[in-house]
C-alpha cells in the first residue's frame, strides 16, 4: 500500500523551448512506493517533465521537490538517490556486461567489496549471469534493457524514473520487465514510468495523462475509468476509417478512435445508437454496433482526443 508521503512534488512546472511550451504549468504529486504511470501522445511533454524532475533539464518556471531535495539546487545530491533509465540504451556497447556494472559502481562510489556483492546479486536477479562477459552491444533488446535496469538500481535508489523503458522489446520481455518493477515497488522503491502501452498503464497504481504539456487526468486506473463522461460503443465493420469519417461531427459522439479493425466511440448513453446507425447507413457502411466495457484506451482518447500511439 502506498503511503501518503510525497516523493515527487512539482507545482507550476513549465518548460519552454523558444515559442513552444513543452510542459505547461504542471502540478504533480507522486507518493512513496507508488507505481505512477505517465501517459500522453507523442510530444506531450513526458520526457521533458521526467528530465526536469531528475535535474537534467532546467525548468523555465515552477517548483520541484524530489525526495526532499529542491531541484535544480540540490540536483547533485539527488543523483545519488535516484535511478534514471530511458528507451535509448545508454551503457557502453563495447564493454562487457560485468565491466559496465563495475564502471557504474565506481561512478556511484561503491567500495570494491560492496560492488562485487551487489553486481553478483543483480546479474542473478536480472538473468544476466551467463552473459556477464558478453559485450553489451551484442545483447538482445530484452537483455540490454535488463542490464540498463540493473545499472539504474545498482546504488539502491529510493526513486526510479523510467522513460518508455519497454518501447524496444517484445511482449514477453515487457511482462518480465514489469515483474521486476513490481519487485522494486514491493521493496519500497517509488516508480515513475512513462509508457504508450495501455496494458502497462493498467498495472500502475496511479496515472497521469499529459496532453500538449498539461496534466489532463490524474488518478488510479479505477478512478479514471469511473470518471469517464460516457460509455463506449464498439463499431465493427470492414471500413472503420470510413465509419470514423461518417460519424465525424455527430453531436452524440463525445470521442472516437480506431483500435485495430474496430472503432470505439464514446457516447453519453444508448440514445446515441440510432443517430449513429443512421449516419453509417447513409454512408452505406454495414456495421455491428455493441456495448463494450470501458478501458483505459477510452480514458486516453476522451482526455486527449487522440488514439493511443504505441511504438511499432
Ligand atoms: N531540447 C529541445 N529543444 C526544442 N524542443 C524540444 C526539446 N526537447 C523536447 N522538445 C519538444 O518538446 C515537446 C515535448 O517533447 P517530449 O520529448 O517531452 O514529449 P514526449 O511526451 O516524451 O514524447 P514521446 O512520447 O514521443 O517520447 C516536443 O514538441 C519536442 O519536440
Amino acid at each position: 500500500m502506498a503511503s501518503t508521503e510525497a516523493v515527487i512534488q512539482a507545482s507550476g512546472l513549465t518548460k519552454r523551448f523558444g515559442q513552444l511550451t513543452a510542459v505547461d504549468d504542471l502540478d504533480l504529486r507522486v507518493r512513496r512506493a507508488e507505481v505512477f504511470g505517465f501517459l500522453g501522445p507523442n510530444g506531450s511533454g513526458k520526457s521533458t517533465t521526467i528530465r526536469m524532475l531528475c535535474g537534467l533539464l532546467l525548468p523555465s518556471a515552477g517548483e520541484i521537490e524530489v525526495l526532499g531535495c529542491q531541484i535544480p539546487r540540490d540536483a547533485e545530491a539527488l543523483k545519488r538517490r535516484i535511478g534514471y533509465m530511458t528507451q535509448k540504451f545508454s551503457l557502453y556497447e563495447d564493454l562487457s556486461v560485468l565491466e559496465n556494472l563495475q564502471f557504474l559502481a565506481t561512478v556511484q562510489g561503491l567500495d570494491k567489496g560492496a560492488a562485487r556483492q551487489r553486481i553478483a546479486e543483480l546479474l542473478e536477479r536480472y538473468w544476466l549471469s551467463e552473459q556477464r562477459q558478453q559485450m553489451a552491444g551484442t545483447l538482445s533488446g530484452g537483455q540490454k534493457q535488463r542490464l540498463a535496469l540493473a545499472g539504474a538500481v545498482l546504488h539502491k535508489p529510493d526513486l526510479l524514473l523510467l522513460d518508455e523503458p519497454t518501447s524496444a522489446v517484445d511482449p514477453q520481455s515487457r511482462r518480465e520487465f514489469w515483474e521486476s518493477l513490481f519487485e522494486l515497488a514491493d521493496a519500497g522503491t517509488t516508480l515513475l514510468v512513462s509508457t504508450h502501452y495501455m496494458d502497462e498503464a493498467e498495472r500502475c497504481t496511479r496515472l497521469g495523462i499529459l496532453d500538449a504539456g498539461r496534466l489532463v487526468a490524474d488518478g488510479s486506473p479505477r478512478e479514471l475509468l469511473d470518471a469517464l463522461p460516457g460509455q463506449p460503443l464498439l463499431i465493427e465493420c470492414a471500413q472503420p476509417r470510413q465509419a470514423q469519417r461518417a460519424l465525424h461531427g455527430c453531436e452524440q459522439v463525445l470521442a472516437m478512435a480506431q483500435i485495430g479493425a474496430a472503432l470505439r466511440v464514446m457516447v453519453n448513453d444508448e440514445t446515441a445508437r440510432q443517430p449513429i446507425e443512421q449516419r453509417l447507413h447513409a454512408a452505406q457502411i454495414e456495421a455491428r454496433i455493441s456495448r463494450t466495457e470501458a478501458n483505459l484506451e477510452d480514458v486516453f482518447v476522451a482526455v486527449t482526443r487522440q488514439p493511443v500511439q504505441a511504438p511499432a
Side-chain angles (χ1 to χ4, degrees):
M1 189 72 189
S3 87
T4 53
E5 189 189 336
V7 166
I8 296 176
Q9 201 146 13
S11 60
L13 190 58
T14 300
K15 181 67 189 180
R16 285 183 283 271
F17 295 110
Q19 297 292 308
L20 175 83
T21 303
V23 176
D24 191 2
D25 199 18
L26 192 83
D27 294 335
L28 192 67
R29 191 180 149 93
V30 179
R31 298 181 198 89
R32 182 164 304 282
E34 262 182 345
V35 180
F36 186 92
F38 225 14
L39 301 180
N42 289 129
S44 55
K46 302 179 296 294
S47 302
T48 304
T49 302
I50 292 176
R51 299 185 70 220
M52 287 192 286
L53 296 174
C54 293
L56 292 170
L57 192 66
L58 276 181
S60 307
E63 311 280 324
I64 306 174
E65 191 180 299
V66 180
L67 294 165
C69 298
Q70 302 296 320
I71 304 300
R73 191 194 68 192
D74 307 328
E76 266 316 301
L78 182 71
K79 266 189 205 155
R80 287 188 287 276
R81 300 181 55 202
I82 62 168
Y84 172 59
M85 177 180 162
T86 68
Q87 65 190 93
K88 195 166 162 288
F89 186 64
S90 54
L91 298 178
Y92 293 98
E93 305 230 330
D94 49 0
L95 289 185
S96 72
V97 166
L98 187 61
E99 286 164 343
N100 264 294
L101 293 176
Q102 285 168 336
F103 174 73
L104 282 172
T106 309
V107 172
Q108 293 290 350
L110 267 70
D111 76 59
K112 276 209 164 130
R116 201 174 309 119
Q117 200 180 351
R118 181 74 176 141
I119 289 171
E121 184 188 319
L122 291 171
L123 287 174
E124 190 166 330
R125 179 172 313 160
Y126 295 124
W127 311 291
L128 289 167
S129 295
E130 279 180 30
Q131 286 78 27
R132 61 200 302 138
Q133 303 296 354
Q134 195 173 328
M135 292 296 135
T138 66
L139 295 173
S140 72
Q143 289 167 339
K144 277 186 181 168
Q145 174 218 39
R146 297 205 301 270
L147 175 59
L149 183 61
V153 301
L154 192 74
H155 55 304
K156 300 189 179 169
D158 298 317
L159 169 68
L160 202 50
L161 297 128
L162 304 137
D163 194 0
E164 290 181 42
T166 57
S167 59
V169 295
D170 64 55
Q172 172 70 13
S173 300
R174 288 205 294 123
R175 273 194 296 276
E176 287 168 2
F177 186 81
W178 272 80
E179 291 311 314
S180 303
L181 295 190
F182 280 109
E183 253 176 51
L184 288 162
D186 286 345
T189 312
T190 307
L191 293 137
L192 184 147
V193 51
S194 71
T195 180
H196 284 284
Y197 293 108
M198 289 301 123
D199 59 334
E200 296 186 348
E202 270 165 23
R203 306 186 68 178
C204 295
T205 52
R206 213 150 64 83
L207 295 171
I209 304 181
L210 277 184
D211 191 31
R214 301 190 73 93
L215 193 66
V216 291
D218 183 3
S220 70
R222 187 69 262 160
E223 285 167 347
L224 297 186
L225 284 169
D226 289 346
L228 263 176
Q231 62 190 51
L233 289 178
L234 192 67
I235 300 183
E236 294 164 287
C237 61
Q239 320 93 331
R241 288 189 73 75
Q242 279 99 310
Q244 191 162 5
R245 270 198 292 277
L247 296 180
H248 192 75
C250 177
E251 66 178 279
Q252 286 83 0
V253 171
L254 304 175
M256 62 180 155
Q258 186 182 340
I259 310 289
L263 197 61
R264 291 182 77 90
V265 178
M266 188 60 65
V267 296
N268 276 324
D269 53 42
E270 276 290 315
T271 60
R273 211 183 251 258
Q274 203 188 2
I276 287 176
E277 276 167 355
Q278 280 168 354
R279 278 193 176 229
L280 293 176
H281 185 71
Q284 298 180 330
I285 295 168
E286 252 184 63
R288 207 172 80 88
I289 304 178
S290 54
R291 282 281 300 270
T292 184
E293 277 284 299
N295 62 28
L296 283 176
E297 210 128 18
D298 298 315
V299 172
F300 188 93
V301 172
V303 298
T304 67
R305 304 281 163 151
Q306 290 185 50
V308 178
Q309 301 152 313

